């Protein structure tokens, strides 16, 4: 882990390597996680037609959506964070327990202010564990006068052998906006949600945990989230796949987006205040739970330092 921040920042990607073929690769364009391998098995979907030109959002992995979700009258869809080059605040560093962390940051600049004229700073800390990937996010408003509102979401593309065999827990009883049916509001009655057609739903006030079955090698993926009240489920299916130039016509069966975020009720950030949110992705085979008390810790205190 002797690589310096300057050396890594000169390249486009940052790699966290925990050993045992367990790695995480982040493209500085959008701070997009483009690969997460556990025992050399890829967990994330990236389209074979994804663009890496440093201009367009990367189709797959885990793009960072901010400060807008969806269409935006002021600028690009899903905001500018996923199409802006981030700064490597701290290069990959091995912790005492063998985990590896890196910290990225984004702050307002001429480009962002030309679209959205607010001061802000985002700190994005990633921790690679043996079978887990942790995301800790802090958004700070350094202004002394202006508040701002924002959406934020981790647009996670999971790699799956057949999306029709996947099941998603934790959504029963939740209301959702169905974007495939003119944004009509429904309530989910199913104990587990399956995807067998074009799906684009914003589930509201969802619990902290979802389990997705039949991901890579028939295993399960646990998504545990904090301060992300919404969960978006998306798959373009065949017709919408054909409409996207950076997505293969035949790729939709092999991906499932399960996205934790703040969508339906934007966050209001007052001057001089900060907002934090977290997510853990955990690949597992046998029953295992994440200690919820870990969410009570302030992971970002040491990294949200401002003048």
């Amino acid at each position: 882990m002797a690589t310096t921040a300057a050396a890594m920042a000169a390249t486009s990607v940052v790699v966290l390597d925990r050993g045992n073929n367990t790695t995480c690769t982040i493209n500085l364009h959008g701070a997009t996680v483009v690969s997460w391998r556990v025992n050399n098995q890829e967990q994330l979907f990236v389209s074979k037609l994804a663009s890496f030109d440093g201009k367009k959002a990367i189709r797959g992995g885990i793009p960072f959506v901010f400060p807008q979700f969806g269409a935006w009258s002021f600028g690009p869809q899903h905001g500018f964070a996923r199409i802006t080059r981030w700064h490597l605040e701290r290069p990959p560093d091995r912790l005492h327990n063998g985990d590896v962390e890196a910290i990225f940051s984004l702050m307002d600049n001429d480009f962002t202010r030309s679209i959205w004229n607010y001061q802000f700073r985002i700190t994005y800390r990633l921790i690679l564990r043996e079978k887990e990937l942790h995301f800790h996010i802090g958004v700070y408003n350094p202004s002394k006068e202006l508040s701002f509102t924002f959406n934020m979401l981790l647009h996670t593309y999971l790699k799956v052998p057949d999306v029709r065999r996947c099941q998603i827990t934790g959504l029963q009883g939740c209301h959702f906006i169905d974007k495939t049916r003119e944004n009509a509001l429904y309530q989910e009655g199913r104990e587990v949600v399956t995807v067998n057609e074009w799906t684009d739903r914003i589930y509201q006030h969802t619990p902290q945990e979802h389990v997705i079955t039949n991901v890579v090698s028939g295993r399960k993926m646990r998504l545990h989230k904090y301060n992300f009240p919404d969960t978006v489920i998306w798959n373009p299916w065949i017709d919408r796949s054909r409409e996207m130039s950076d997505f293969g016509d035949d790729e939709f069966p092999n991906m499932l987006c399960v996205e934790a975020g703040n969508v339906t009720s934007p966050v209001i950030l007052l001057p001089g205040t900060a907002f934090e949110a977290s997510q853990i992705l955990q690949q597992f085979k046998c029953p295992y739970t994440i200690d919820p008390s870990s969410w009570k810790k302030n992971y970002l205190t040491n990294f949200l330092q401002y003048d």
Side-chain angles (χ1 to χ4, degrees), residues 19 42 79 95 98 120 154-155 159-161 166 182 196 216 238 240 251 259 276-277 281:
E42 182 59 64
L95 305 178
F120 70 91
L154 294 176
H155 200 308
K159 183 177 181 180
V160 300
C166 295
E182 299 181 338
N196 295 287
V216 176
I238 187 165
R240 272 70 191 177
E251 290 185 310
E259 313 163 28
E276 297 182 6
L281 293 177

Side-chain angles (χ1 to χ4, degrees), residues 109-145:
N109 54 44
D110 290 344
F111 169 65
T112 68
R113 288 191 297 270
S114 71
I115 300 171
W116 191 66
N117 194 21
Y118 295 99
Q119 293 177 285
F120 70 91
R121 179 179 170 90
I122 303 174
T123 301
Y124 190 24
R125 182 187 185 199
L126 296 177
I127 303 174
L128 178 65
R129 304 193 69 184
E130 187 177 1
K131 293 186 179 180
E132 298 175 7
L133 187 56
H134 293 223
F135 309 75
H136 303 294
I137 303 164
V139 183
Y140 178 67
N141 179 3
S143 173
K144 296 180 180 179
E145 299 177 352

Side-chain angles (χ1 to χ4, degrees), residues 231-273:
T231 303
V232 175
I233 306 297
W234 180 69
N235 184 290
W237 222 248
I238 187 165
D239 290 339
R240 272 70 191 177
S241 297
R242 290 171 175 167
E243 296 173 1
M244 295 185 287
S245 62
D246 58 351
F247 191 94
D249 294 352
D250 59 348
E251 290 185 310
F252 72 91
N254 302 125
M255 55 77 65
L256 173 63
C257 282
V258 182
E259 313 163 28
N262 291 272
V263 178
T264 54
S265 296
V267 177
I268 302 172
L269 202 56
L270 300 177
T273 63

Side-chain angles (χ1 to χ4, degrees), residues 69-71 77-78 176-184 186 198-202 232 234 263:
F69 175 84
Q77 174 164 306
H78 289 334
F176 65 89
I177 298 168
D178 193 335
K179 297 177 70 177
T180 73
R181 291 172 172 81
E182 299 181 338
N183 293 322
Y186 298 94
W198 173 35
T199 300
D200 195 353
R201 296 179 172 186
I202 304 170
V232 175
W234 180 69
V263 178

Side-chain angles (χ1 to χ4, degrees), residues 25-81:
T25 304
I26 302 93
N27 193 306
L28 291 176
H29 179 65
T32 308
V33 178
V34 292
S35 174
W36 172 36
R37 289 183 173 271
V38 177
N39 296 328
N40 209 33
Q41 289 190 319
E42 182 59 64
Q43 308 298 310
L44 302 177
F45 167 88
V46 175
S47 174
K48 61 189 177 185
L49 300 180
S51 173
F52 293 89
D53 63 1
K55 298 177 181 179
K56 193 172 183 178
I58 297 169
R59 177 67 69 186
I62 308 178
F64 193 112
V65 174
F66 175 93
Q68 172 71 17
F69 175 84
W72 195 18
S73 58
F74 297 108
Q77 174 164 306
H78 289 334
F80 50 69

Side-chain angles (χ1 to χ4, degrees), residues 151-165:
N151 299 129
M152 184 169 67
L153 173 138
L154 294 176
H155 200 308
T156 304
Y157 288 74
L158 295 175
K159 183 177 181 180
V160 300
D162 184 351
V163 69
R164 291 159 288 202
R165 295 183 58 234

